[in-house]
Amino acid sequence: MFEKMSQHTDLVTGMSERVGIDWGERIMKNPENAKEFRNAVMQCTRCQELGACQKFQELNGKAANAPDYCMNADLFKEMQQG
């Protein structure tokens, strides 16, 4: 279980970085955002596109948006907008 959580934490962090979201900064500004991060990781654990996500991150250092299959795409888009 811990290995799965670690893997998905890395995937959420990686996808966030690619779309310009800095969780560390968000959490420092408001510690309540740590709950939002935890929820994003938990949402990610339900994803069936693990391989596609890993490949997307390997091929894209930056991206305008997370791919449509990303369980957190709407959250990331909302965070990008403000």
Side-chain angles (χ1 to χ4, degrees):
M1 180 176 114
F2 291 112
E3 184 177 323
K4 181 177 183 175
M5 293 301 293
S6 177
Q7 181 179 35
H8 287 275
T9 297
D10 291 345
L11 289 171
V12 169
T13 301
M15 189 65 75
S16 300
E17 290 172 354
R18 280 155 182 79
V19 299
I21 296 164
D22 183 340
W23 281 103
E25 181 180 318
R26 288 181 61 82
I27 292 168
M28 284 184 59
K29 285 182 181 177
N30 181 358
E32 288 293 312
N33 287 331
K35 292 178 187 176
E36 188 177 39
F37 178 75
R38 182 198 65 218
N39 291 340
V41 172
M42 295 305 294
Q43 182 82 340
C44 182
T45 63
R46 298 179 35 230
C47 184
Q48 301 298 310
E49 300 291 340
L50 183 64
C53 182
Q54 291 169 326
K55 190 68 162 177
F56 178 88
Q57 291 189 37
E58 287 173 18
L59 297 174
N60 296 280
K62 295 225 181 259
N65 297 300
D68 291 337
Y69 57 78
C70 178
M71 303 289 287
N72 289 302
D74 291 339
L75 172 65
F76 295 151
K77 190 173 289 189
E78 182 181 311
M79 291 170 69
Q80 288 172 316
Q81 293 172 351

